[in-house]
Amino acid sequence: PVDNPYAVATERVNEKKSDNFRLNTYLNYDILENLSFKSTLGFSSVNETEGTFLPSTLVITAGQKGGQANISNLRRSTVLSENYLTYTKEIEKGNLTLLAGYSYQRNTSEFFSAGATGFPSNSVSFNNLGSGAVDLESNSALNESEIQSQFGRVNYDYDDKYLFTATVRRDGASNFAANEKYAIFPSAALGWKASNEDFLKDSETVSNLKLRVSYGLTGNQAISPYQSLASYQAIYASTNGSTVNAVTPFQPANPDLKWETSYQTNFGVDLGLLNNKINLSLDYYNIDTKDLILANTGLPEYFGFLGNEILANIGEINNSGFEISLNTRNISDDNFSWTTDFNLSVNKNEVVSLIDGKDLFGSGAPSYFSIEDTYILREGEAVGLFWGLEYAGVYQGGVLPTGTFAATGTPVAGDPLFTDVDGDGSQSSGDQKIIGDPN
C-alpha cells in the first residue's frame, strides 16, 4: 500500500537548511604589448542539513509506532583554477586572437545521516532523535573527483564581415577508469555579416543580417565518482549464531567506460529590420550523442554481484529541431517602453542504437511511490517513453471484460482494470507496454 498523495503533501515533514559561501579572485598581467596572462581562483562551499519526519498517521509508517525521523548533512566544496595566455594582433583589416590555457577543478562531498523510529509524540518531528525507541542504520560517505583540461582557441574577424572561431579541448576526469580518462573535443564556427557588405550596408530596411554555421564535439562526464570501479556493499551476515558486519561484491569494474560525446551541427540566421526594431533568429540543429552513459541492467545473477546493473556506454541517440526567436521594440522613449518576445522550439529525438538492439528499462517514479520499469529505451522510438499497464476502465462487477484483468486478486466494483496484453488472464510483466510519450 501507498499513502494518499494529499496526506503525503500535508503531513510529511521535509525541511532543508543551506549555507553557501563563494570566493573568487584573479590576477591579470601584461607580459608584452599584445600578450597577457590571466589566472583565476575560485572556491565555493555548500553545507546542507535536511530533516524528514513521517508521522505515525501515514500508512508507510504503520509498522513503526511513533513515526520515523531522519537527519542528514551534506557538505560540498569546489576549487577551480584557470590559467590562460591571450595574444591579440591586428592583421590588415582583421583582428586575430589566440588563447591557450589550463584548468583544474576539484570537487569534494561529505555526507552522513542518522534516524530513529518509535517516538512518544509526533510533535517532536526530527528534532530529538534520542527520544526514538529504535535507532536506524547510520551512514556516512566521502567522494572526491578531479577534472583537468587543456584548451586552445583562435578567433579571426576580417573587416567586421567574416568571422572564424576554432577551439579544441582535452579534458580528463577522474570519474572514468584508467583506460578512458581523457578525451579531445574540437569545434569550429563561421559567421558572415552580410549586412556590412556594400550591397546592404546602406539599406534602410535590413539593419542586420548574419549567417552562421558551426560544428563541434562536447563531452559529458556527469557520473558519480568511482562508478567505473569494482565496488563492495556492506551487509549483515550470521556466524556462530551471531550477526556480524560483512561485505559482498556489488558491481564489477568497467575499465572501458568513456566520455559521452555529442556531435552537434548548427545553421543559423540573425535578421534585424528597421534599425533593429524587429529582430529574428532562426536556428536548425542536429545532435548525435554517442557512447550514451546509462546503467545496463543485463548483469546475470550467477556472476555473484549483489547489484544487477553496471554503468556502460549503451548506444546512440539523436536530437534535431528548429528554434525561432522574434523580438520587437514597439515603443521606446523616456517615459514608456513596450517590447514583445516570441519563442518557438521544435525538437525530435530518437534512440538510434542500443547494445545488441535490446530494450533498456528504468524507473523514474518519485519517492516511495517508486515502482520498477516506468520508462523504456527502444531503437527507433523516442527517448524515455512511459512503460506500464494500460488503463482499461472501471470494474462494474460480474464477469471481467474480455482482454482485461484487475490488479487485485478478488476485484470489487470500482477497482481499476488494465489491458491483458499477454492474454494470460492475470497481471504479469508481459502486460506492460508503451503507454505515453513525455516528449
Side-chain angles (χ1 to χ4, degrees), residues 110 116 123 194 236 274 374 402 420:
E110 302 170 76
S123 63
Y236 292 110
L274 305 177
T374 62
T402 303
D420 186 13

Short mmCIF file of all heavy atoms in Angstrom, two decimals, residues 110 116 123 194 236 274 374 402 420:
data_model
loop_
_atom_site.label_atom_id
_atom_site.label_comp_id
_atom_site.label_asym_id
_atom_site.label_seq_id
_atom_site.Cartn_x
_atom_site.Cartn_y
_atom_site.Cartn_z
N GLU A 110 31.01 15.43 1.46
CA GLU A 110 30.98 14.62 2.68
C GLU A 110 29.54 14.51 3.13
O GLU A 110 28.79 15.49 3.12
CB GLU A 110 31.82 15.26 3.77
CG GLU A 110 33.28 15.47 3.38
CD GLU A 110 34.02 16.33 4.38
OE1 GLU A 110 34.36 15.82 5.47
OE2 GLU A 110 34.24 17.52 4.08
N ALA A 116 15.73 7.39 13.51
CA ALA A 116 15.14 6.60 14.58
C ALA A 116 13.65 6.46 14.34
O ALA A 116 13.04 7.23 13.57
CB ALA A 116 15.41 7.25 15.95
N SER A 123 4.85 15.32 17.72
CA SER A 123 5.16 16.75 17.82
C SER A 123 6.66 17.03 17.83
O SER A 123 7.08 18.15 17.56
CB SER A 123 4.52 17.33 19.08
OG SER A 123 5.07 16.72 20.24
N ALA A 194 26.52 39.73 -43.53
CA ALA A 194 26.17 40.20 -44.87
C ALA A 194 25.69 41.64 -44.86
O ALA A 194 25.82 42.35 -45.87
CB ALA A 194 25.09 39.28 -45.47
N TYR A 236 24.81 -7.56 6.43
CA TYR A 236 24.83 -8.28 7.70
C TYR A 236 24.88 -9.77 7.39
O TYR A 236 24.17 -10.27 6.52
CB TYR A 236 23.60 -7.96 8.54
CG TYR A 236 23.57 -6.54 9.04
CD1 TYR A 236 22.65 -5.61 8.53
CD2 TYR A 236 24.46 -6.12 10.02
CE1 TYR A 236 22.62 -4.31 8.99
CE2 TYR A 236 24.44 -4.81 10.49
CZ TYR A 236 23.52 -3.92 9.97
OH TYR A 236 23.50 -2.63 10.42
N LEU A 274 14.63 47.52 -39.81
CA LEU A 274 14.21 48.86 -39.38
C LEU A 274 15.00 49.32 -38.15
O LEU A 274 14.44 49.59 -37.09
CB LEU A 274 12.71 48.89 -39.09
CG LEU A 274 11.79 48.42 -40.24
CD1 LEU A 274 10.34 48.41 -39.78
CD2 LEU A 274 11.99 49.29 -41.47
N THR A 374 9.47 2.10 -15.32
CA THR A 374 8.45 3.08 -15.67
C THR A 374 8.72 3.75 -17.01
O THR A 374 7.88 4.48 -17.51
CB THR A 374 8.34 4.16 -14.59
OG1 THR A 374 9.60 4.86 -14.48
CG2 THR A 374 8.00 3.54 -13.24
N THR A 402 -13.57 -8.96 -21.57
CA THR A 402 -12.56 -9.70 -22.31
C THR A 402 -11.31 -8.86 -22.54
O THR A 402 -11.41 -7.68 -22.91
CB THR A 402 -13.12 -10.15 -23.68
OG1 THR A 402 -14.30 -10.94 -23.45
CG2 THR A 402 -12.09 -10.98 -24.45
N ASP A 420 -5.00 -6.79 -20.68
CA ASP A 420 -4.25 -8.05 -20.56
C ASP A 420 -3.49 -8.29 -21.86
O ASP A 420 -3.97 -8.96 -22.76
CB ASP A 420 -5.22 -9.19 -20.27
CG ASP A 420 -4.51 -10.50 -19.99
OD1 ASP A 420 -3.27 -10.46 -19.78
OD2 ASP A 420 -5.17 -11.56 -20.00
#
